[in-house]
Amino acid sequence: MKILNILWVLFFIVSCSKNENHPYTFYYWKTNLKLDQQEKKVLDQATVPYLYTRFFDVDKAGGKFQPVAVITKDQSFQTDKQIVPTVFITNQTMLGISQDEIKFLAEGIHHLVQKKAEEYHLKINNEIQIDCDWTAGTRDDYFKFLKELKKVSGKEITCTLRLHQVKDKKQTGIPPVNKVYLMCYSTSSPLDKSDKNSILDVNILKSYLARMEDYPVKKVEVALPIYSWGIITNHLDKHKLINALSKKDLENPNFKKISEYKVEILKDGFYFGNYLNKGFTIKVEEISKEQLEDVTHFLQKKIPHFNIIYYQLDSKFVLDRKF
């Protein structure tokens, strides 16, 4: 009987240590809706019936609201997934906004989402997701906007939730939505001089989300990063990002290895479409399977039954990755 009890305890420990099988899908964040064969194959295999698709950004210039980088569509963009329109709004758009402007902005966003969905025959669901890095100074007006958009559109309005908005929830407030999307990336700035991975440092994430189970909005989906980039640093310590670089790209006879993810350029020349000088350094940041598993396992203790949305659907990032 004692042996059976010990075996049962061991079985329980092993079972609890395994990751749950989370349904997953992707964000699509390119301006031109277009799918190559690899992207289509990976998307077809996704187990959530939605694709979270960025429709346009909203910014404020000269006191006027402006849609930026509105989507276009290629004939190759065919999917059985329902599209969830996602709109990114800059925080400055919400600064000093009046009640009339909030109404105007909500109506404008709703109409442009509808127009693009109809123009491109997109099968959209009953949700609009808003992505905004709101702050303590803009929270009240941003929350009013979310309520107004729900009223104007008649749709379910959801929003993204950044790590600092969880940690500092007393200052940044709780958005008036029934569902949030927790963005588990951008743990620091890639322009900081640091050895940490700015896309995802798991220890930083864990410290920010230490009390995630206390967050008042209980329906939480989780956005995880699969993107990568290279950070170029010149002689003056100025930085530049090159999208989609990986560790493999550092294998070049003109590069001197400094560490596993960092090299120094030994010869002036064109690299990755950019002219880079001798002495410049390249640091690659990418996300491993182990990092994603670590985050998922941590969040399972904080959030019951979440879906995963990977950022983002691009053949450069999904190739050779198991989901």
Side-chain angles (χ1 to χ4, degrees):
M1 190 68 184
K2 200 171 183 182
I3 292 169
L4 280 174
N5 284 340
I6 291 167
L7 287 172
W8 172 249
V9 169
L10 285 172
F11 173 77
F12 182 75
I13 290 168
V14 169
S15 298
C16 289
S17 68
K18 285 183 180 178
N19 283 335
E20 289 175 29
N21 188 17
H22 296 277
Y24 72 92
T25 186
F26 299 90
Y27 276 106
Y28 188 93
W29 216 258
K30 299 174 194 171
T31 303
N32 184 30
L33 302 182
K34 188 176 184 179
L35 291 173
D36 64 23
Q37 286 304 111
Q38 180 68 32
E39 290 159 355
K40 190 164 189 334
K41 180 185 171 188
V42 170
L43 181 58
D44 286 344
Q45 292 169 347
T47 50
V48 169
Y50 306 123
L51 177 64
Y52 292 83
T53 306
R54 177 204 154 279
F55 269 46
F56 52 88
D57 302 343
V58 177
D59 201 2
K60 200 176 195 177
K64 291 185 178 179
F65 303 117
Q66 294 186 349
V68 180
V70 181
I71 53 165
T72 57
K73 180 176 171 287
D74 186 86
Q75 285 182 340
S76 67
F77 191 83
Q78 301 290 335
T79 178
D80 292 331
K81 303 290 184 195
Q82 285 189 55
I83 303 296
V84 180
T86 303
V87 177
F88 172 74
I89 303 178
T90 63
N91 187 49
Q92 72 167 9
T93 300
M94 292 292 156
L95 284 170
I97 192 171
S98 69
Q99 187 59 46
D100 285 346
E101 287 176 322
I102 287 172
K103 192 170 188 297
F104 174 81
L105 183 62
E107 288 173 347
I109 286 174
H110 168 57
H111 290 144
L112 188 52
V113 165
Q114 291 299 115
K115 181 184 173 188
K116 288 293 146 189
E118 288 166 15
E119 184 180 345
Y120 296 135
H121 307 290
L122 298 173
K123 185 174 64 178
I124 62 174
N125 75 337
N126 194 45
E127 177 183 353
I128 298 175
Q129 184 184 130
I130 301 296
D131 179 18
C132 178
D133 190 7
W134 84 86
T135 57
T138 57
R139 73 177 210 179
D140 292 342
D141 289 327
Y142 176 59
F143 294 170
K144 284 177 191 170
F145 159 76
L146 292 175
K147 288 178 182 174
E148 186 64 32
L149 183 58
K150 181 178 177 64
K151 185 175 147 190
V152 164
S153 67
K155 292 181 177 287
E156 180 188 6
I157 304 303
T158 62
C159 70
T160 56
L161 182 67
R162 285 164 171 76
L163 301 180
H164 73 89
Q165 292 160 346
V166 176
K167 185 185 175 195
D168 304 324
K169 62 180 182 287
K170 283 186 179 175
Q171 290 79 32
T172 54
I174 310 302
V177 295
N178 294 323
K179 180 162 67 171
V180 291
Y181 292 78
L182 180 64
M183 300 175 74
C184 295
Y185 44 91
S186 298
T187 47
S188 59
S189 169
L191 307 183
D192 290 345
K193 198 170 183 181
S194 169
D195 291 332
K196 296 184 187 303
N197 186 322
S198 69
I199 295 174
L200 175 59
D201 183 284
V202 177
N203 289 330
I204 291 174
L205 177 135
K206 287 179 179 179
S207 71
Y208 270 73
L209 301 180
R211 305 300 306 167
M212 182 66 210
E213 63 270 30
D214 298 337
Y215 198 76
V217 181
K218 292 305 176 189
K219 183 59 182 166
V220 181
E221 310 290 25
V222 172
L224 292 179
I226 53 171
Y227 64 95
S228 65
W229 55 32
I231 304 167
I232 313 300
T233 305
N234 69 9
H235 302 113
L236 300 172
D237 238 14
K238 300 285 184 190
H239 306 292
K240 176 182 180 174
L241 291 178
I242 296 181
N243 190 37
L245 288 198
S246 68
K247 188 176 159 187
K248 290 177 188 171
D249 293 311
L250 300 182
E251 295 164 11
N252 188 311
N254 293 332
F255 297 164
K256 181 176 83 175
K257 192 171 181 180
I258 297 172
S259 66
E260 189 180 2
Y261 289 95
K262 193 172 182 181
V263 295
E264 181 183 332
I265 297 171
L266 301 174
K267 185 180 177 184
D268 294 354
F270 278 97
Y271 304 99
F272 321 115
N274 295 262
Y275 191 81
L276 305 176
N277 294 107
K278 179 183 176 182
F280 284 20
T281 61
I282 306 173
K283 176 191 172 189
V284 160
E285 294 185 337
E286 56 186 1
I287 304 302
S288 69
K289 178 173 175 272
E290 290 71 29
Q291 282 173 295
L292 295 179
E293 286 177 350
D294 193 354
V295 170
T296 304
H297 191 249
F298 169 76
L299 290 176
Q300 282 170 185
K301 301 168 191 171
K302 307 281 183 183
I303 307 165
H305 312 302
F306 55 86
N307 292 342
I308 292 173
I309 302 98
Y310 290 105
Y311 183 88
Q312 61 169 314
L313 182 61
D314 187 313
S315 53
K316 294 169 188 167
F317 304 136
V318 300
L319 194 65
D320 301 327
R321 197 181 275 273
K322 287 186 170 61
F323 296 102

